[in-house]
Structure formats: C-alpha cells, structure tokens
C-alpha cells in the first residue's frame, strides 16, 4: 500500500521538512526539488544514508536451513537476505525518506539521481554501503560518494577523524551538537511502522548532519580544486 507522511523537525534553529513515502509520484517530486542549482555554481551536497530491513537469527536459519548457525564458530554471522528498508536524503532544507518493502523495486528517479555527476553524496561509511548495494542487491551505483571521516581527516589534517561518528564530526567541523535531539528509543522497526516519527527524526538528524559536515568541508576544499574564475587563464 502506498502512503506518505510529512513531518517537521527543528534542528539547529532551523525547521527541516521530512517527507516519508513510498509513492513514486511523491518521490519524483521531492527528488526534482533537489535538482536546483547552487548560488556559487559549486557541487551540490546531499546527505545520504539507508537502513536495512532487520532479520532475526531464527529467520535467517529458516531461510538458509542448510546453514548451522549453532556451530562452534559463534563469531560468524548467519547469511542475511536483508534488503534496504529506507533510503534517506537531505539537501540541508528538506529530507526525503523512501521506504521500501522487501524485494520491492528502487524508484528509477532515485537510481538516476545517484548517478548525477554534479552532485556529491556524503555520509559515514558511504562508500562501503554503495559497494555492498551495487554488488549484492540492486546494482545501485553512485557517481560521487564521499566518506565524511576520510574527508575530514584529509582536510583538517587530523587522522583520527577517520574513525569518528557523525556526532563527533558534526561538533569538530561545524560546532553542531544535535545529541540532545536524538530519540532515546532504539526499538523501532522501519518495516513494521515506516511512518513512525521516532525513526524519521533519527534519520533526519543523521542526513542533515551529513549535509552540514560535507558542505563545510567541501567548501574549504573547493578553492584548491576549483579556483575562482579570476585565477583561471582563458587564453
């Protein structure tokens, strides 16, 4: 069943409109709203993340009956047929959360948007996530995916930032502290209640933070890689 819910969250003194939907028409409209040029002609930054449909130990054993999940090697996780439950995007003003059912198709507009060469998608662990998606699931690829930990470590000259989480990066890069805004309930399930406010707020905080961190870092990097027009010889 198709459904849409629009919510508003105040983060860092700014109201962020979050649309949670699985309706193709709404998804297309929201992605179209992201396709707006930047004021400084630079690369537009999109915070990106996704969540998996959870699968329990016993569900995996049922789906893979030939696998002994109670064997001697307890450190080996059972094979998981989990599929993405949500795709989350933020341009700093609004967020789009696309929720899916198991084995459902990914919207064509999202697939095409992720391959746009003049958009940079940023997140924590984003390159590994896309590699996993492209190899094992939908063949989803991304033209420009940048891991924020690696970017922050490079730009700021602080190697330890490679291993920091989103909250620490947000504080180090933007002096942004959204920890108090995070829901304290972690027992939600996107698959059971995709329109719930708790996971929607958590997702919004994450991708909004990704956008803020990525925009700040890439703005610092841009003068070196894309000098102003007055620096460029037109001869």
């Amino acid at each position: 069943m198709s459904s849409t819910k629009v919510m508003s969250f105040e983060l860092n003194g700014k109201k962020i409109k979050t649309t949670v939907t699985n309706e193709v028409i709404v998804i297309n409209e929201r992605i179209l709203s992201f396709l707006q040029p930047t004021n400084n002609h630079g690369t537009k930054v999109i915070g990106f993340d996704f969540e998996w449909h959870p699968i329990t130990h016993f569900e995996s054993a049922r789906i893979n009956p030939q696998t002994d999940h109670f064997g001697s090697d307890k450190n080996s996780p059972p094979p998981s047929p989990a599929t993405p439950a949500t795709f989350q995007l933020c341009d700093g003003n609004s967020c789009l959360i696309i929720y899916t059912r198991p084995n459902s198709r990914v919207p064509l507009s999202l697939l095409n948007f992720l391959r746009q060469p003049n958009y940079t998608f940023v997140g924590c662990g984003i390159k590994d996530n896309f590699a996993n998606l492209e190899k094992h699931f939908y063949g989803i690829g991304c033209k420009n995916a940048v891991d924020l930990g690696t970017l922050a470590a490079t730009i700021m000259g602080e190697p330890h930032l490679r291993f920091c989480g989103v909250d620490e990066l947000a504080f180090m890069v933007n002096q942004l502290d959204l920890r108090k805004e995070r829901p304290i309930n972690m027992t939600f399930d996107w698959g059971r209640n995709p329109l719930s406010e708790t996971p929607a707020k958590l997702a919004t905080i994450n991708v909004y933070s990704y956008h803020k961190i990525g925009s700040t870092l890439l703005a610092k990097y841009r003068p070196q890689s894309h000098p102003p027009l007055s620096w460029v010889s037109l001869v």
Side-chain angles (χ1 to χ4, degrees):
M1 183 176 67
S2 298
S3 56
T4 296
K5 185 175 182 179
V6 179
M7 312 175 203
S8 180
F9 303 109
E10 185 169 336
L11 302 177
N12 194 33
K14 182 175 184 177
K15 285 191 175 182
I16 305 298
K17 184 175 78 171
T18 295
T19 302
V20 184
T21 186
N22 68 343
E23 297 185 71
V24 174
I25 293 178
V26 178
I27 293 170
N28 293 345
E29 289 176 349
R30 297 305 304 135
I31 288 180
L32 184 62
S33 74
F34 291 150
L35 297 174
Q36 302 296 329
T38 58
N39 294 331
N40 60 0
H41 304 286
T43 299
K44 189 160 186 179
V45 177
I46 302 292
F48 179 86
D49 203 357
F50 68 89
E51 298 291 339
W52 300 99
H53 282 290
I55 180 166
T56 67
H57 184 88
F58 293 102
E59 285 176 325
S60 184
R62 176 179 57 80
I63 295 171
N64 302 279
Q66 296 180 348
T67 302
D68 179 12
H69 302 312
F70 300 95
S72 58
D73 187 6
K74 296 182 180 180
N75 294 322
S76 298
S80 173
T83 55
T86 65
F87 297 92
Q88 307 155 12
L89 304 94
C90 181
D91 68 348
N93 297 306
S94 62
C95 292
L96 171 64
I97 300 175
I98 303 169
Y99 73 89
T100 69
R101 302 299 183 186
N103 302 317
S104 63
R105 292 186 177 183
V106 176
L108 182 60
S109 58
L110 175 62
L111 295 176
N112 290 333
F113 183 48
L114 292 173
R115 293 187 172 95
Q116 292 300 303
N118 56 334
Y119 287 77
T120 298
F121 296 85
V122 297
C124 290
I126 190 171
K127 286 198 170 184
D128 290 339
N129 287 339
F130 271 117
N132 196 22
L133 283 172
E134 189 166 14
K135 181 177 180 180
H136 298 292
F137 296 97
Y138 298 104
I140 297 174
C142 183
K143 189 73 173 179
N144 294 317
V146 177
D147 184 84
L148 290 173
T150 301
L151 182 64
T154 302
I155 299 299
M156 301 179 71
E158 298 284 351
H160 76 279
L161 293 179
R162 294 176 184 270
F163 312 106
C164 290
V166 59
D167 286 335
E168 188 170 359
L169 286 174
F171 187 77
M172 291 290 294
V173 176
N174 295 89
Q175 290 73 54
L176 178 64
D177 187 357
L178 296 177
R179 291 175 298 175
K180 62 182 180 298
E181 302 292 342
R182 289 185 175 277
I184 59 175
N185 179 12
M186 292 287 108
T187 60
F188 55 81
D189 180 349
W190 275 108
R192 293 181 182 274
N193 191 5
L195 301 180
S196 172
E197 182 174 321
T198 296
K201 184 175 184 180
L202 180 62
T204 299
I205 291 171
N206 285 339
V207 289
Y208 174 77
S209 298
Y210 293 164
H211 168 81
K212 295 292 288 184
I213 298 166
S215 296
T216 299
L217 291 173
L218 289 171
K220 291 181 179 180
Y221 180 73
R222 186 172 179 265
Q224 300 175 17
S225 58
H226 301 283
L229 188 60
S230 59
W231 293 6
V232 179
S233 173
L234 301 180
V235 178

